[in-house]
Amino acid sequence: MALMNLSRLITHPERFIQPVSEEIIHEESDEPELILEGHLQQALNTVNSLELLKGQLDSTETAVNMNLDGVRNKLLFINTLVTVASFCTAVASLVGSIFGMNLVNHLEENENAFIQVVVGTLVGTFFLFISMLFLFYQASTFKKLDVSSAQYRGRD
């Protein structure tokens, strides 16, 4: 440790002629020891700062993942609504395609049959859509689904 003090080694080389006494080793090792302790403190401060930064990064990652989960839930909700609407439209097009066949069904003579079929199909489709949403709600698919991201605001 005493030989680490290079400035003293250059200015007073006679003090370090072998064998060096314990008293000289003790005197000359104080300054390098203090320098090394100072560097150790700086290294420990850097490690603590990095650990704090890692904790902040982890909490930020958690907040971002929670926000992404909320967005994913919104997309799943919208996807389910679009699927239900597509199914109801398919049922309505089934009715239209049945009446579009060239089969005799005795509705051709009725003047109001087209209006009645269109209105009936639209009303039936609307009630089918509402009833499917109600069934999904009762099956707890949509229960307590918060589609607003208000619960994620304010977290930094």
Side-chain angles (χ1 to χ4, degrees):
M1 186 71 84
L3 295 175
M4 290 179 69
N5 195 348
L6 294 179
S7 60
R8 296 284 289 175
L9 186 61
I10 291 172
T11 59
H12 302 293
E14 67 277 354
R15 291 183 60 117
F16 299 101
I17 296 176
Q18 298 294 331
V20 181
S21 69
E22 287 291 323
E23 180 183 317
I24 292 175
I25 289 176
H26 183 66
E27 288 175 14
E28 298 297 335
S29 65
D30 286 342
E31 188 177 340
E33 232 178 278
L34 291 174
I35 292 172
L36 287 175
E37 285 180 12
H39 287 297
L40 177 65
Q41 289 300 320
Q42 286 178 346
L44 290 175
N45 285 339
T46 304
V47 167
N48 288 337
S49 297
L50 288 174
E51 287 177 357
L52 178 65
L53 186 61
K54 184 183 181 298
Q56 289 174 346
L57 284 173
D58 289 342
S59 63
T60 301
E61 180 185 6
T62 302
V64 167
N65 284 337
M66 288 174 49
N67 196 7
L68 288 175
D69 288 343
V71 171
R72 186 189 65 222
N73 288 344
K74 286 181 199 177
L75 289 174
L76 289 173
F77 178 76
I78 291 170
N79 186 25
T80 304
L81 287 179
V82 169
T83 303
V84 169
S86 298
F87 175 74
C88 293
T89 304
V91 169
S93 68
L94 175 69
V95 172
S97 57
I98 289 173
F99 279 101
M101 292 183 179
N102 292 328
L103 300 176
V104 178
N105 55 14
H106 305 292
L107 291 177
E108 292 85 7
E109 294 86 25
N110 190 350
E111 296 175 4
N112 298 327
F114 179 75
I115 300 288
Q116 290 173 354
V117 169
V118 168
V119 170
T121 303
L122 290 176
V123 168
T125 303
F126 176 74
F127 283 121
L128 179 65
F129 181 73
I130 297 299
S131 64
M132 287 186 74
L133 286 181
F134 180 73
L135 287 174
F136 279 136
Y137 182 77
Q138 290 301 319
S140 73
T141 302
F142 293 151
K143 274 187 183 175
K144 297 178 184 172
L145 179 64
D146 185 16
V147 293
S148 71
S149 62
Q151 61 185 350
Y152 302 112
R153 290 188 193 129
R155 292 185 182 176
D156 293 329

